[in-house]
Every structure is written in C-alpha cells, then in structure tokens.
C-alpha cells in the first residue's frame, strides 16, 4: 500500500491473515488521505485508489 506521495506505508507480501481471499488491513495509524492499493496475485496486478477520511 502506497500513499499519494508514492511512499510505501504497508507491505503485506508475507502476511497470511487473508481468509477465503479477503484481506483485512489495519489502517488506524495512517493519516487521512489518498492511498494506492497495489495487489499482485498469480501474475496479475491491479492498482486501486483508496481514501481514508478519518
């Protein structure tokens, strides 16, 4: 996960908390703003915008 400035704020590469394909990210310590979620699985990559408002 990257913030809008391109700085990585989280790397869940080796995180195994995913259940049935769902992942829970704890963003409570992050400041409000725009983030980019970069997901790669089985050779397919997607980047999605995400906004934290509080």
């Amino acid at each position: 996960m990257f913030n809008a400035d391109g700085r990585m704020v989280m790397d869940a590469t080796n995180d195994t908390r995913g259940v049935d394909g769902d992942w829970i990210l704890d963003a409570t310590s992050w400041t409000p703003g725009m983030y980019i979620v970069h997901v790669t699985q089985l050779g397919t990559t997607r980047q999605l915008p995400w906004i934290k408002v509080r």
Side-chain angles (χ1 to χ4, degrees):
M1 172 101 43
F2 298 86
N3 67 12
D5 295 325
R7 185 176 62 90
M8 183 182 291
V9 294
M10 174 181 241
D11 180 0
T13 301
N14 296 315
D15 197 331
T16 59
R17 290 180 296 165
V19 176
D20 296 327
D22 294 334
W23 290 81
I24 298 171
L25 301 175
D26 182 5
T28 56
S29 66
W30 303 353
T31 59
M34 176 88 157
Y35 294 85
I36 304 297
V37 179
H38 182 100
V39 179
T40 301
Q41 182 178 21
L42 302 174
T44 301
T45 300
R46 292 190 66 192
Q47 290 187 171
L48 305 164
W50 185 71
I51 298 173
K52 181 178 179 186
V53 293
R54 315 185 208 185

mmCIF file of all heavy atoms in Angstrom:
data_model
loop_
_atom_site.group_PDB
_atom_site.id
_atom_site.type_symbol
_atom_site.label_atom_id
_atom_site.label_comp_id
_atom_site.label_asym_id
_atom_site.label_seq_id
_atom_site.Cartn_x
_atom_site.Cartn_y
_atom_site.Cartn_z
ATOM 1 N N MET A 1 0.854 -1.154 0.000
ATOM 2 C CA MET A 1 0.000 0.000 0.000
ATOM 3 C C MET A 1 0.904 1.223 0.000
ATOM 4 O O MET A 1 1.858 1.289 0.758
ATOM 5 C CB MET A 1 -0.892 -0.028 1.234
ATOM 6 C CG MET A 1 -1.694 1.194 1.451
ATOM 7 S SD MET A 1 -3.418 1.202 0.998
ATOM 8 C CE MET A 1 -4.079 -0.304 1.526
ATOM 9 N N PHE A 2 0.607 2.181 -0.868
ATOM 10 C CA PHE A 2 1.394 3.395 -1.013
ATOM 11 C C PHE A 2 0.521 4.609 -0.735
ATOM 12 O O PHE A 2 -0.666 4.611 -1.061
ATOM 13 C CB PHE A 2 1.937 3.511 -2.444
ATOM 14 C CG PHE A 2 2.848 2.389 -2.830
ATOM 15 C CD1 PHE A 2 2.339 1.205 -3.338
ATOM 16 C CD2 PHE A 2 4.219 2.509 -2.684
ATOM 17 C CE1 PHE A 2 3.170 0.168 -3.703
ATOM 18 C CE2 PHE A 2 5.058 1.476 -3.037
ATOM 19 C CZ PHE A 2 4.541 0.302 -3.543
ATOM 20 N N ASN A 3 1.121 5.671 -0.167
ATOM 21 C CA ASN A 3 0.356 6.902 -0.027
ATOM 22 C C ASN A 3 0.430 7.683 -1.336
ATOM 23 O O ASN A 3 1.098 7.263 -2.285
ATOM 24 C CB ASN A 3 0.835 7.731 1.175
ATOM 25 C CG ASN A 3 2.230 8.284 1.027
ATOM 26 O OD1 ASN A 3 2.816 8.268 -0.047
ATOM 27 N ND2 ASN A 3 2.782 8.772 2.121
ATOM 28 N N ALA A 4 -0.247 8.813 -1.413
ATOM 29 C CA ALA A 4 -0.315 9.584 -2.654
ATOM 30 C C ALA A 4 1.050 10.130 -3.073
ATOM 31 O O ALA A 4 1.253 10.466 -4.239
ATOM 32 C CB ALA A 4 -1.317 10.719 -2.521
ATOM 33 N N ASP A 5 1.999 10.217 -2.142
ATOM 34 C CA ASP A 5 3.354 10.679 -2.459
ATOM 35 C C ASP A 5 4.243 9.559 -2.966
ATOM 36 O O ASP A 5 5.410 9.774 -3.269
ATOM 37 C CB ASP A 5 4.005 11.306 -1.215
ATOM 38 C CG ASP A 5 3.294 12.559 -0.765
ATOM 39 O OD1 ASP A 5 2.803 13.312 -1.637
ATOM 40 O OD2 ASP A 5 3.220 12.785 0.458
ATOM 41 N N GLY A 6 3.713 8.344 -3.041
ATOM 42 C CA GLY A 6 4.480 7.206 -3.525
ATOM 43 C C GLY A 6 5.269 6.476 -2.461
ATOM 44 O O GLY A 6 6.030 5.565 -2.758
ATOM 45 N N ARG A 7 5.107 6.867 -1.204
ATOM 46 C CA ARG A 7 5.829 6.216 -0.107
ATOM 47 C C ARG A 7 5.065 4.974 0.343
ATOM 48 O O ARG A 7 3.872 5.020 0.589
ATOM 49 C CB ARG A 7 5.978 7.181 1.073
ATOM 50 C CG ARG A 7 6.827 6.631 2.206
ATOM 51 C CD ARG A 7 7.033 7.661 3.296
ATOM 52 N NE ARG A 7 5.802 8.068 3.922
ATOM 53 C CZ ARG A 7 5.258 7.480 4.994
ATOM 54 N NH1 ARG A 7 5.860 6.457 5.563
ATOM 55 N NH2 ARG A 7 4.134 7.928 5.501
ATOM 56 N N MET A 8 5.755 3.839 0.451
ATOM 57 C CA MET A 8 5.115 2.613 0.909
ATOM 58 C C MET A 8 4.759 2.751 2.384
ATOM 59 O O MET A 8 5.606 3.102 3.196
ATOM 60 C CB MET A 8 6.014 1.404 0.713
ATOM 61 C CG MET A 8 5.340 0.105 1.103
ATOM 62 S SD MET A 8 6.376 -1.352 0.952
ATOM 63 C CE MET A 8 6.546 -1.463 -0.799
ATOM 64 N N VAL A 9 3.503 2.472 2.716
ATOM 65 C CA VAL A 9 3.070 2.538 4.112
ATOM 66 C C VAL A 9 2.772 1.161 4.675
ATOM 67 O O VAL A 9 2.641 0.998 5.889
ATOM 68 C CB VAL A 9 1.842 3.464 4.279
ATOM 69 C CG1 VAL A 9 2.206 4.895 3.969
ATOM 70 C CG2 VAL A 9 0.687 3.010 3.415
ATOM 71 N N MET A 10 2.653 0.158 3.811
ATOM 72 C CA MET A 10 2.421 -1.200 4.282
ATOM 73 C C MET A 10 2.844 -2.194 3.212
ATOM 74 O O MET A 10 2.616 -1.976 2.034
ATOM 75 C CB MET A 10 0.946 -1.405 4.601
ATOM 76 C CG MET A 10 0.599 -2.827 4.967
ATOM 77 S SD MET A 10 -1.153 -3.008 5.307
ATOM 78 C CE MET A 10 -1.052 -3.549 6.982
ATOM 79 N N ASP A 11 3.458 -3.274 3.651
ATOM 80 C CA ASP A 11 3.815 -4.376 2.755
ATOM 81 C C ASP A 11 3.267 -5.650 3.385
ATOM 82 O O ASP A 11 3.717 -6.065 4.433
ATOM 83 C CB ASP A 11 5.323 -4.468 2.588
ATOM 84 C CG ASP A 11 5.751 -5.590 1.660
ATOM 85 O OD1 ASP A 11 4.873 -6.309 1.138
ATOM 86 O OD2 ASP A 11 6.953 -5.745 1.444
ATOM 87 N N ALA A 12 2.264 -6.238 2.756
ATOM 88 C CA ALA A 12 1.642 -7.451 3.277
ATOM 89 C C ALA A 12 2.053 -8.665 2.452
ATOM 90 O O ALA A 12 1.323 -9.641 2.370
ATOM 91 C CB ALA A 12 0.125 -7.288 3.288
ATOM 92 N N THR A 13 3.253 -8.623 1.864
ATOM 93 C CA THR A 13 3.722 -9.697 0.999
ATOM 94 C C THR A 13 3.672 -11.060 1.679
ATOM 95 O O THR A 13 3.202 -12.032 1.113
ATOM 96 C CB THR A 13 5.164 -9.412 0.529
ATOM 97 O OG1 THR A 13 5.169 -8.179 -0.173
ATOM 98 C CG2 THR A 13 5.673 -10.520 -0.366
ATOM 99 N N ASN A 14 4.148 -11.130 2.893
ATOM 100 C CA ASN A 14 4.210 -12.418 3.591
ATOM 101 C C ASN A 14 3.120 -12.559 4.636
ATOM 102 O O ASN A 14 3.182 -13.434 5.484
ATOM 103 C CB ASN A 14 5.587 -12.584 4.243
ATOM 104 C CG ASN A 14 6.676 -12.648 3.200
ATOM 105 O OD1 ASN A 14 6.532 -13.337 2.202
ATOM 106 N ND2 ASN A 14 7.748 -11.918 3.406
ATOM 107 N N ASP A 15 2.128 -11.701 4.580
ATOM 108 C CA ASP A 15 1.039 -11.723 5.556
ATOM 109 C C ASP A 15 0.057 -12.834 5.180
ATOM 110 O O ASP A 15 -0.415 -12.895 4.062
ATOM 111 C CB ASP A 15 0.327 -10.372 5.550
ATOM 112 C CG ASP A 15 -0.523 -10.171 6.772
ATOM 113 O OD1 ASP A 15 -1.013 -11.164 7.332
ATOM 114 O OD2 ASP A 15 -0.708 -9.006 7.160
ATOM 115 N N THR A 16 -0.255 -13.694 6.122
ATOM 116 C CA THR A 16 -1.151 -14.827 5.841
ATOM 117 C C THR A 16 -2.500 -14.662 6.539
ATOM 118 O O THR A 16 -3.188 -15.643 6.774
ATOM 119 C CB THR A 16 -0.494 -16.146 6.273
ATOM 120 O OG1 THR A 16 -0.198 -16.081 7.670
ATOM 121 C CG2 THR A 16 0.754 -16.429 5.466
ATOM 122 N N ARG A 17 -2.899 -13.442 6.876
ATOM 123 C CA ARG A 17 -4.170 -13.246 7.559
ATOM 124 C C ARG A 17 -5.358 -13.343 6.611
ATOM 125 O O ARG A 17 -6.487 -13.294 7.035
ATOM 126 C CB ARG A 17 -4.198 -11.889 8.255
ATOM 127 C CG ARG A 17 -3.271 -11.834 9.443
ATOM 128 C CD ARG A 17 -3.328 -10.489 10.083
ATOM 129 N NE ARG A 17 -2.839 -9.507 9.125
ATOM 130 C CZ ARG A 17 -3.007 -8.204 9.236
ATOM 131 N NH1 ARG A 17 -3.671 -7.714 10.240
ATOM 132 N NH2 ARG A 17 -2.527 -7.378 8.334
ATOM 133 N N GLY A 18 -5.117 -13.424 5.307
ATOM 134 C CA GLY A 18 -6.212 -13.497 4.353
ATOM 135 C C GLY A 18 -7.050 -14.749 4.578
ATOM 136 O O GLY A 18 -6.528 -15.826 4.782
ATOM 137 N N VAL A 19 -8.348 -14.605 4.567
ATOM 138 C CA VAL A 19 -9.268 -15.728 4.748
ATOM 139 C C VAL A 19 -10.211 -15.747 3.557
ATOM 140 O O VAL A 19 -10.850 -14.747 3.257
ATOM 141 C CB VAL A 19 -10.066 -15.577 6.057
ATOM 142 C CG1 VAL A 19 -11.077 -16.699 6.193
ATOM 143 C CG2 VAL A 19 -9.129 -15.541 7.250
ATOM 144 N N ASP A 20 -10.286 -16.864 2.878
ATOM 145 C CA ASP A 20 -11.177 -17.007 1.723
ATOM 146 C C ASP A 20 -10.972 -15.906 0.699
ATOM 147 O O ASP A 20 -11.922 -15.417 0.103
ATOM 148 C CB ASP A 20 -12.644 -17.043 2.169
ATOM 149 C CG ASP A 20 -12.950 -18.255 3.023
ATOM 150 O OD1 ASP A 20 -12.323 -19.312 2.782
ATOM 151 O OD2 ASP A 20 -13.790 -18.155 3.923
ATOM 152 N N GLY A 21 -9.739 -15.460 0.518
ATOM 153 C CA GLY A 21 -9.435 -14.440 -0.467
ATOM 154 C C GLY A 21 -9.642 -13.017 0.013
ATOM 155 O O GLY A 21 -9.379 -12.073 -0.705
ATOM 156 N N ASP A 22 -10.140 -12.830 1.244
ATOM 157 C CA ASP A 22 -10.344 -11.495 1.806
ATOM 158 C C ASP A 22 -9.159 -11.131 2.689
ATOM 159 O O ASP A 22 -8.624 -11.962 3.407
ATOM 160 C CB ASP A 22 -11.621 -11.441 2.655
ATOM 161 C CG ASP A 22 -12.873 -11.642 1.836
ATOM 162 O OD1 ASP A 22 -12.854 -11.345 0.634
ATOM 163 O OD2 ASP A 22 -13.880 -12.096 2.410
ATOM 164 N N TRP A 23 -8.764 -9.855 2.645
ATOM 165 C CA TRP A 23 -7.676 -9.366 3.476
ATOM 166 C C TRP A 23 -8.185 -8.221 4.321
ATOM 167 O O TRP A 23 -8.976 -7.400 3.867
ATOM 168 C CB TRP A 23 -6.515 -8.868 2.610
ATOM 169 C CG TRP A 23 -5.817 -9.993 1.929
ATOM 170 C CD1 TRP A 23 -6.200 -10.623 0.791
ATOM 171 C CD2 TRP A 23 -4.631 -10.641 2.356
ATOM 172 N NE1 TRP A 23 -5.314 -11.626 0.475
ATOM 173 C CE2 TRP A 23 -4.348 -11.656 1.413
ATOM 174 C CE3 TRP A 23 -3.778 -10.455 3.429
ATOM 175 C CZ2 TRP A 23 -3.231 -12.475 1.535
ATOM 176 C CZ3 TRP A 23 -2.671 -11.286 3.541
ATOM 177 C CH2 TRP A 23 -2.414 -12.278 2.603
ATOM 178 N N ILE A 24 -7.737 -8.151 5.565
ATOM 179 C CA ILE A 24 -8.090 -7.057 6.450
ATOM 180 C C ILE A 24 -6.824 -6.260 6.722
ATOM 181 O O ILE A 24 -5.825 -6.814 7.203
ATOM 182 C CB ILE A 24 -8.679 -7.588 7.774
ATOM 183 C CG1 ILE A 24 -9.956 -8.363 7.482
ATOM 184 C CG2 ILE A 24 -8.923 -6.444 8.743
ATOM 185 C CD1 ILE A 24 -10.507 -9.110 8.680
ATOM 186 N N LEU A 25 -6.851 -4.970 6.388
ATOM 187 C CA LEU A 25 -5.703 -4.096 6.610
ATOM 188 C C LEU A 25 -6.014 -3.147 7.756
ATOM 189 O O LEU A 25 -7.064 -2.504 7.759
ATOM 190 C CB LEU A 25 -5.393 -3.285 5.353
ATOM 191 C CG LEU A 25 -5.081 -4.091 4.098
ATOM 192 C CD1 LEU A 25 -4.910 -3.162 2.916
ATOM 193 C CD2 LEU A 25 -3.853 -4.939 4.307
ATOM 194 N N ASP A 26 -5.119 -3.049 8.723
ATOM 195 C CA ASP A 26 -5.292 -2.134 9.847
ATOM 196 C C ASP A 26 -4.672 -0.790 9.477
ATOM 197 O O ASP A 26 -3.457 -0.627 9.511
ATOM 198 C CB ASP A 26 -4.639 -2.699 11.103
ATOM 199 C CG ASP A 26 -4.824 -1.807 12.313
ATOM 200 O OD1 ASP A 26 -5.537 -0.787 12.215
ATOM 201 O OD2 ASP A 26 -4.258 -2.136 13.371
ATOM 202 N N ALA A 27 -5.513 0.162 9.118
ATOM 203 C CA ALA A 27 -5.055 1.484 8.707
ATOM 204 C C ALA A 27 -5.333 2.530 9.775
ATOM 205 O O ALA A 27 -5.304 3.731 9.501
ATOM 206 C CB ALA A 27 -5.730 1.878 7.397
ATOM 207 N N THR A 28 -5.584 2.103 11.009
ATOM 208 C CA THR A 28 -5.946 3.048 12.067
ATOM 209 C C THR A 28 -4.839 4.052 12.378
ATOM 210 O O THR A 28 -5.132 5.174 12.779
ATOM 211 C CB THR A 28 -6.343 2.310 13.359
ATOM 212 O OG1 THR A 28 -5.270 1.448 13.748
ATOM 213 C CG2 THR A 28 -7.613 1.492 13.152
ATOM 214 N N SER A 29 -3.600 3.693 12.178
ATOM 215 C CA SER A 29 -2.496 4.610 12.488
ATOM 216 C C SER A 29 -2.132 5.516 11.312
ATOM 217 O O SER A 29 -1.310 6.419 11.469
ATOM 218 C CB SER A 29 -1.263 3.819 12.924
ATOM 219 O OG SER A 29 -0.777 3.047 11.839
ATOM 220 N N TRP A 30 -2.738 5.330 10.170
ATOM 221 C CA TRP A 30 -2.418 6.143 8.998
ATOM 222 C C TRP A 30 -3.161 7.462 9.053
ATOM 223 O O TRP A 30 -4.274 7.559 9.563
ATOM 224 C CB TRP A 30 -2.796 5.425 7.710
ATOM 225 C CG TRP A 30 -2.161 4.091 7.529
ATOM 226 C CD1 TRP A 30 -1.207 3.508 8.308
ATOM 227 C CD2 TRP A 30 -2.456 3.158 6.508
ATOM 228 N NE1 TRP A 30 -0.885 2.274 7.839
ATOM 229 C CE2 TRP A 30 -1.645 2.026 6.730
ATOM 230 C CE3 TRP A 30 -3.318 3.148 5.439
ATOM 231 C CZ2 TRP A 30 -1.665 0.921 5.904
ATOM 232 C CZ3 TRP A 30 -3.357 2.040 4.610
ATOM 233 C CH2 TRP A 30 -2.528 0.948 4.848
ATOM 234 N N THR A 31 -2.560 8.496 8.491
ATOM 235 C CA THR A 31 -3.223 9.796 8.425
ATOM 236 C C THR A 31 -4.267 9.777 7.309
ATOM 237 O O THR A 31 -4.132 9.027 6.338
ATOM 238 C CB THR A 31 -2.212 10.926 8.151
ATOM 239 O OG1 THR A 31 -1.545 10.651 6.920
ATOM 240 C CG2 THR A 31 -1.194 11.047 9.262
ATOM 241 N N PRO A 32 -5.323 10.574 7.447
ATOM 242 C CA PRO A 32 -6.323 10.656 6.379
ATOM 243 C C PRO A 32 -5.669 11.094 5.070
ATOM 244 O O PRO A 32 -4.741 11.906 5.072
ATOM 245 C CB PRO A 32 -7.304 11.718 6.877
ATOM 246 C CG PRO A 32 -7.145 11.685 8.366
ATOM 247 C CD PRO A 32 -5.692 11.385 8.598
ATOM 248 N N GLY A 33 -6.130 10.547 3.977
ATOM 249 C CA GLY A 33 -5.586 10.916 2.672
ATOM 250 C C GLY A 33 -5.828 9.851 1.631
ATOM 251 O O GLY A 33 -6.543 8.881 1.857
ATOM 252 N N MET A 34 -5.191 10.032 0.486
ATOM 253 C CA MET A 34 -5.343 9.135 -0.654
ATOM 254 C C MET A 34 -4.223 8.107 -0.629
ATOM 255 O O MET A 34 -3.058 8.453 -0.428
ATOM 256 C CB MET A 34 -5.277 9.938 -1.943
ATOM 257 C CG MET A 34 -5.331 9.108 -3.174
ATOM 258 S SD MET A 34 -7.021 8.862 -3.605
ATOM 259 C CE MET A 34 -6.886 8.513 -5.322
ATOM 260 N N TYR A 35 -4.575 6.849 -0.876
ATOM 261 C CA TYR A 35 -3.618 5.755 -0.919
ATOM 262 C C TYR A 35 -3.859 4.935 -2.181
ATOM 263 O O TYR A 35 -4.949 4.952 -2.744
ATOM 264 C CB TYR A 35 -3.768 4.850 0.319
ATOM 265 C CG TYR A 35 -3.407 5.555 1.599
ATOM 266 C CD1 TYR A 35 -4.344 6.324 2.276
ATOM 267 C CD2 TYR A 35 -2.120 5.477 2.107
ATOM 268 C CE1 TYR A 35 -4.007 6.993 3.443
ATOM 269 C CE2 TYR A 35 -1.772 6.134 3.271
ATOM 270 C CZ TYR A 35 -2.724 6.893 3.932
ATOM 271 O OH TYR A 35 -2.381 7.546 5.082
ATOM 272 N N ILE A 36 -2.847 4.212 -2.626
ATOM 273 C CA ILE A 36 -2.950 3.318 -3.769
ATOM 274 C C ILE A 36 -2.702 1.894 -3.285
ATOM 275 O O ILE A 36 -1.656 1.602 -2.709
ATOM 276 C CB ILE A 36 -1.915 3.671 -4.869
ATOM 277 C CG1 ILE A 36 -2.059 5.128 -5.302
ATOM 278 C CG2 ILE A 36 -2.056 2.711 -6.051
ATOM 279 C CD1 ILE A 36 -3.378 5.484 -5.926
ATOM 280 N N VAL A 37 -3.668 1.029 -3.494
ATOM 281 C CA VAL A 37 -3.519 -0.379 -3.140
ATOM 282 C C VAL A 37 -2.986 -1.098 -4.373
ATOM 283 O O VAL A 37 -3.585 -1.040 -5.440
ATOM 284 C CB VAL A 37 -4.880 -0.987 -2.724
ATOM 285 C CG1 VAL A 37 -4.717 -2.459 -2.383
ATOM 286 C CG2 VAL A 37 -5.480 -0.211 -1.567
ATOM 287 N N HIS A 38 -1.844 -1.731 -4.230
ATOM 288 C CA HIS A 38 -1.174 -2.449 -5.327
ATOM 289 C C HIS A 38 -1.235 -3.930 -4.971
ATOM 290 O O HIS A 38 -0.595 -4.364 -4.019
ATOM 291 C CB HIS A 38 0.268 -1.956 -5.432
ATOM 292 C CG HIS A 38 1.043 -2.571 -6.526
ATOM 293 N ND1 HIS A 38 1.255 -1.934 -7.715
ATOM 294 C CD2 HIS A 38 1.670 -3.760 -6.618
ATOM 295 C CE1 HIS A 38 1.988 -2.713 -8.493
ATOM 296 N NE2 HIS A 38 2.249 -3.825 -7.840
ATOM 297 N N VAL A 39 -2.031 -4.700 -5.724
ATOM 298 C CA VAL A 39 -2.242 -6.112 -5.410
ATOM 299 C C VAL A 39 -1.748 -6.973 -6.569
ATOM 300 O O VAL A 39 -2.111 -6.733 -7.719
ATOM 301 C CB VAL A 39 -3.742 -6.406 -5.180
ATOM 302 C CG1 VAL A 39 -3.959 -7.872 -4.871
ATOM 303 C CG2 VAL A 39 -4.290 -5.532 -4.068
ATOM 304 N N THR A 40 -0.921 -7.965 -6.256
ATOM 305 C CA THR A 40 -0.458 -8.915 -7.261
ATOM 306 C C THR A 40 -0.768 -10.321 -6.774
ATOM 307 O O THR A 40 -0.424 -10.681 -5.650
ATOM 308 C CB THR A 40 1.055 -8.770 -7.503
ATOM 309 O OG1 THR A 40 1.329 -7.444 -7.925
ATOM 310 C CG2 THR A 40 1.534 -9.752 -8.562
ATOM 311 N N GLN A 41 -1.431 -11.087 -7.632
ATOM 312 C CA GLN A 41 -1.744 -12.464 -7.291
ATOM 313 C C GLN A 41 -1.715 -13.300 -8.555
ATOM 314 O O GLN A 41 -2.334 -12.950 -9.559
ATOM 315 C CB GLN A 41 -3.122 -12.567 -6.641
ATOM 316 C CG GLN A 41 -3.467 -13.976 -6.221
ATOM 317 C CD GLN A 41 -4.823 -14.054 -5.537
ATOM 318 O OE1 GLN A 41 -5.661 -13.194 -5.704
ATOM 319 N NE2 GLN A 41 -5.009 -15.087 -4.753
ATOM 320 N N LEU A 42 -0.970 -14.390 -8.500
ATOM 321 C CA LEU A 42 -0.868 -15.327 -9.629
ATOM 322 C C LEU A 42 -0.517 -14.625 -10.938
ATOM 323 O O LEU A 42 -1.094 -14.900 -11.987
ATOM 324 C CB LEU A 42 -2.173 -16.108 -9.781
ATOM 325 C CG LEU A 42 -2.613 -16.919 -8.566
ATOM 326 C CD1 LEU A 42 -3.990 -17.516 -8.792
ATOM 327 C CD2 LEU A 42 -1.598 -17.986 -8.227
ATOM 328 N N GLY A 43 0.410 -13.669 -10.866
ATOM 329 C CA GLY A 43 0.885 -12.984 -12.061
ATOM 330 C C GLY A 43 0.007 -11.844 -12.549
ATOM 331 O O GLY A 43 0.332 -11.186 -13.531
ATOM 332 N N THR A 44 -1.115 -11.580 -11.889
ATOM 333 C CA THR A 44 -1.995 -10.477 -12.269
ATOM 334 C C THR A 44 -1.863 -9.367 -11.235
ATOM 335 O O THR A 44 -1.912 -9.622 -10.037
ATOM 336 C CB THR A 44 -3.464 -10.945 -12.328
ATOM 337 O OG1 THR A 44 -3.562 -12.003 -13.275
ATOM 338 C CG2 THR A 44 -4.385 -9.819 -12.732
ATOM 339 N N THR A 45 -1.701 -8.124 -11.703
ATOM 340 C CA THR A 45 -1.530 -6.980 -10.817
ATOM 341 C C THR A 45 -2.631 -5.964 -11.057
ATOM 342 O O THR A 45 -2.987 -5.682 -12.191
ATOM 343 C CB THR A 45 -0.162 -6.305 -11.052
ATOM 344 O OG1 THR A 45 0.868 -7.262 -10.792
ATOM 345 C CG2 THR A 45 0.033 -5.115 -10.145
ATOM 346 N N ARG A 46 -3.155 -5.413 -9.938
ATOM 347 C CA ARG A 46 -4.138 -4.335 -10.013
ATOM 348 C C ARG A 46 -3.726 -3.244 -9.054
ATOM 349 O O ARG A 46 -3.199 -3.520 -7.976
ATOM 350 C CB ARG A 46 -5.528 -4.832 -9.630
ATOM 351 C CG ARG A 46 -6.080 -5.806 -10.652
ATOM 352 C CD ARG A 46 -7.517 -6.117 -10.428
ATOM 353 N NE ARG A 46 -8.327 -4.923 -10.641
ATOM 354 C CZ ARG A 46 -9.589 -4.831 -10.298
ATOM 355 N NH1 ARG A 46 -10.202 -5.838 -9.747
ATOM 356 N NH2 ARG A 46 -10.283 -3.739 -10.520
ATOM 357 N N GLN A 47 -3.976 -1.995 -9.434
ATOM 358 C CA GLN A 47 -3.762 -0.854 -8.564
ATOM 359 C C GLN A 47 -5.108 -0.166 -8.401
ATOM 360 O O GLN A 47 -5.768 0.149 -9.393
ATOM 361 C CB GLN A 47 -2.747 0.108 -9.161
ATOM 362 C CG GLN A 47 -1.368 -0.431 -9.174
ATOM 363 C CD GLN A 47 -0.345 0.572 -9.607
ATOM 364 O OE1 GLN A 47 0.811 0.300 -9.501
ATOM 365 N NE2 GLN A 47 -0.705 1.714 -10.106
ATOM 366 N N LEU A 48 -5.494 0.061 -7.166
ATOM 367 C CA LEU A 48 -6.788 0.660 -6.878
ATOM 368 C C LEU A 48 -6.628 1.845 -5.920
ATOM 369 O O LEU A 48 -5.878 1.750 -4.948
ATOM 370 C CB LEU A 48 -7.720 -0.372 -6.225
ATOM 371 C CG LEU A 48 -7.913 -1.665 -7.019
ATOM 372 C CD1 LEU A 48 -8.513 -2.741 -6.146
ATOM 373 C CD2 LEU A 48 -8.798 -1.401 -8.224
ATOM 374 N N PRO A 49 -7.325 2.955 -6.159
ATOM 375 C CA PRO A 49 -7.254 4.076 -5.231
ATOM 376 C C PRO A 49 -8.077 3.774 -3.971
ATOM 377 O O PRO A 49 -9.084 3.060 -4.029
ATOM 378 C CB PRO A 49 -7.871 5.222 -6.021
ATOM 379 C CG PRO A 49 -8.790 4.570 -6.991
ATOM 380 C CD PRO A 49 -8.162 3.237 -7.323
ATOM 381 N N TRP A 50 -7.642 4.300 -2.853
ATOM 382 C CA TRP A 50 -8.337 4.127 -1.593
ATOM 383 C C TRP A 50 -8.197 5.412 -0.814
ATOM 384 O O TRP A 50 -7.108 5.986 -0.744
ATOM 385 C CB TRP A 50 -7.727 2.940 -0.838
ATOM 386 C CG TRP A 50 -8.437 2.588 0.427
ATOM 387 C CD1 TRP A 50 -9.667 2.021 0.542
ATOM 388 C CD2 TRP A 50 -7.955 2.766 1.745
ATOM 389 N NE1 TRP A 50 -9.969 1.840 1.857
ATOM 390 C CE2 TRP A 50 -8.936 2.296 2.629
ATOM 391 C CE3 TRP A 50 -6.779 3.300 2.285
ATOM 392 C CZ2 TRP A 50 -8.783 2.327 4.008
ATOM 393 C CZ3 TRP A 50 -6.622 3.329 3.641
ATOM 394 C CH2 TRP A 50 -7.617 2.835 4.497
ATOM 395 N N ILE A 51 -9.267 5.897 -0.214
ATOM 396 C CA ILE A 51 -9.237 7.152 0.543
ATOM 397 C C ILE A 51 -9.611 6.881 1.999
ATOM 398 O O ILE A 51 -10.641 6.277 2.275
ATOM 399 C CB ILE A 51 -10.214 8.186 -0.050
ATOM 400 C CG1 ILE A 51 -9.791 8.516 -1.484
ATOM 401 C CG2 ILE A 51 -10.252 9.448 0.817
ATOM 402 C CD1 ILE A 51 -10.783 9.391 -2.214
ATOM 403 N N LYS A 52 -8.751 7.340 2.902
ATOM 404 C CA LYS A 52 -9.047 7.261 4.330
ATOM 405 C C LYS A 52 -9.525 8.644 4.771
ATOM 406 O O LYS A 52 -8.814 9.632 4.579
ATOM 407 C CB LYS A 52 -7.820 6.855 5.132
ATOM 408 C CG LYS A 52 -8.141 6.757 6.613
ATOM 409 C CD LYS A 52 -6.974 6.315 7.436
ATOM 410 C CE LYS A 52 -7.417 6.273 8.890
ATOM 411 N NZ LYS A 52 -6.344 5.994 9.784
ATOM 412 N N VAL A 53 -10.721 8.715 5.320
ATOM 413 C CA VAL A 53 -11.285 10.016 5.672
ATOM 414 C C VAL A 53 -11.113 10.370 7.141
ATOM 415 O O VAL A 53 -11.184 11.540 7.492
ATOM 416 C CB VAL A 53 -12.774 10.111 5.286
ATOM 417 C CG1 VAL A 53 -12.924 10.089 3.785
ATOM 418 C CG2 VAL A 53 -13.585 8.997 5.904
ATOM 419 N N ARG A 54 -10.901 9.411 8.027
ATOM 420 C CA ARG A 54 -10.671 9.729 9.438
ATOM 421 C C ARG A 54 -9.538 8.927 9.986
ATOM 422 O O ARG A 54 -9.281 7.858 9.667
ATOM 423 C CB ARG A 54 -11.854 9.411 10.325
ATOM 424 C CG ARG A 54 -13.157 9.809 9.876
ATOM 425 C CD ARG A 54 -14.148 9.492 10.957
ATOM 426 N NE ARG A 54 -15.415 9.245 10.334
ATOM 427 C CZ ARG A 54 -16.500 9.030 10.981
ATOM 428 N NH1 ARG A 54 -16.489 9.001 12.280
ATOM 429 N NH2 ARG A 54 -17.617 8.825 10.365
#
